[in-house]
Amino acid sequence: DAKTTQPPSMDCAEGRAANLPCNHSTISGNEYVYWYRQIHSQGPQYIIHGLKNNETNEMASLIITEDRKSSTLILPHATLRDTAVYYCIVRPYTNAGKSTFGDGTTLTVKP
Amino acid sequence: NAGVTQTPKFQVLKTGQSMTLQCAQDMNHNSMYWYRQDPGMGLRLIYYSASEGTTDKGEVPNGYNVSRLNKREFSLRLESAAPSQTSVYFCASSEARRATVQETQYFGPGTRLLVL
């Protein structure tokens, strides 16, 4: 499975958009990009996923570059409760791949 | 629906002791996973089960065994615990049907294990 690279930490002002980047330059054609987040010591929570088109749901937007080598998770109006570790992973379409979570990006939303 | 449940929530073991971590899901998911998370680090896959009756090694399987007891339950066993196995263990499940793209994993609350 493709590896991902994320910055270790980012800050964002409350109410502003948080843009979290992820590099996955070795992604293959059958691999999806998934984003999860982990608040405090809870179990990770699914946010969004995509293959090549941009995606949006009630939590976030996902922008994937045309060459699929990188993506950006956008939280449009960050709140203090969005402070968490955000993980970008890639995994194949077929069931039960050995997806690697990596160390993620610690996002701190400040008042 | 309870989602993914894990027992126990917290456990202290002495080096060499054995224990089994239990995980159950009520979402009729096909695939189940065990991860460990060390302080300040991301999740590392220990074992996974693509479907009932099958198990496969992940990144860090040494020192662990698993059993997919039935579709609902996936247990993780430490035969002889070591201090290096002190970690938070998360169980997850996913639907994983070939006809869909639904590979979202749903995680349990975790089991915090301390090995002295």
Side-chain angles (χ1 to χ4, degrees), chain B:
Chain B
N1 287 351
V4 179
T5 57
Q6 294 183 236
T7 56
K9 292 183 179 179
F10 183 73
Q11 183 73 46
V12 179
L13 291 178
K14 295 181 179 178
T15 296
Q17 286 185 315
S18 62
M19 80 161 295
T20 299
L21 282 65
Q22 306 287 353
C23 174
Q25 52 90 9
D26 61 3
M27 296 174 282
N28 200 35
H29 284 171
N30 290 310
S31 295
M32 297 185 73
Y33 313 81
W34 276 106
Y35 293 88
R36 62 176 287 176
Q37 185 174 36
D38 299 331
M41 297 181 67
L43 284 79
R44 291 184 293 171
L45 184 65
I46 304 172
Y47 271 94
Y48 67 99
S49 171
S51 60
E52 186 179 355
T54 68
T55 61
D56 282 287
K57 296 179 180 179
E59 294 178 79
V60 289
N62 292 341
Y64 305 94
N65 287 301
V66 291
S67 296
R68 183 75 182 267
L69 304 171
N70 47 56
K71 192 171 186 179
R72 289 188 65 249
E73 299 171 290
F74 189 38
S75 63
L76 178 72
R77 182 159 179 85
L78 288 70
E79 290 291 350
S80 179
S84 61
Q85 294 178 304
T86 293
S87 191
V88 181
Y89 291 84
F90 289 101
C91 177
S93 70
S94 67
E95 188 173 9
R97 289 187 296 152
R98 294 187 70 86
T100 76
V101 298
Q102 188 58 272
E103 260 303 303
T104 301
Q105 293 185 48
Y106 296 85
F107 286 81
T111 293
R112 283 147 184 80
L113 177 65
L114 174 63
V115 183
L116 301 175

Side-chain angles (χ1 to χ4, degrees), chain A residues 43-62:
Chain A
Q45 173 192 25
Y46 166 80
I47 301 173
I48 197 167
H49 73 282
L51 182 62
K52 55 183 178 180
N53 298 320
N54 298 338
E55 302 288 344
T56 296
N57 64 19
E58 65 278 5
M59 290 182 67
S61 295
L62 174 61

Side-chain angles (χ1 to χ4, degrees), chain A:
Chain A
D1 293 348
K3 298 286 187 181
T4 62
T5 304
Q6 300 176 252
S9 64
M10 294 182 64
D11 291 342
C12 178
E14 187 178 19
R16 303 296 294 270
N19 297 288
L20 292 90
C22 179
N23 285 319
H24 31 80
S25 59
T26 60
I27 193 170
S28 60
N30 70 340
E31 289 183 316
Y32 283 71
V33 180
Y34 278 77
W35 283 84
Y36 289 80
R37 73 180 182 184
Q38 187 175 26
I39 298 173
H40 297 302
S41 300
Q42 300 174 22
Q45 173 192 25
Y46 166 80
I47 301 173
I48 197 167
H49 73 282
L51 182 62
K52 55 183 178 180
N53 298 320
N54 298 338
E55 302 288 344
T56 296
N57 64 19
E58 65 278 5
M59 290 182 67
S61 295
L62 174 61
I63 308 298
I64 302 174
T65 57
E66 191 169 345
D67 63 8
R68 302 205 329 119
K69 293 184 177 182
S70 66
S71 61
T72 301
L73 178 74
I74 301 173
L75 307 179
H77 306 286
T79 70
L80 299 179
R81 283 179 289 185
D82 291 322
T83 292
V85 179
Y86 287 78
Y87 296 100
C88 165
I89 66 171
V90 293
R91 62 179 298 159
Y93 171 84
T94 53
N95 57 358
K98 295 182 182 181
S99 51
T100 303
F101 269 72
D103 294 335
T105 295
T106 298
L107 174 69
T108 303
V109 181
K110 298 183 175 181

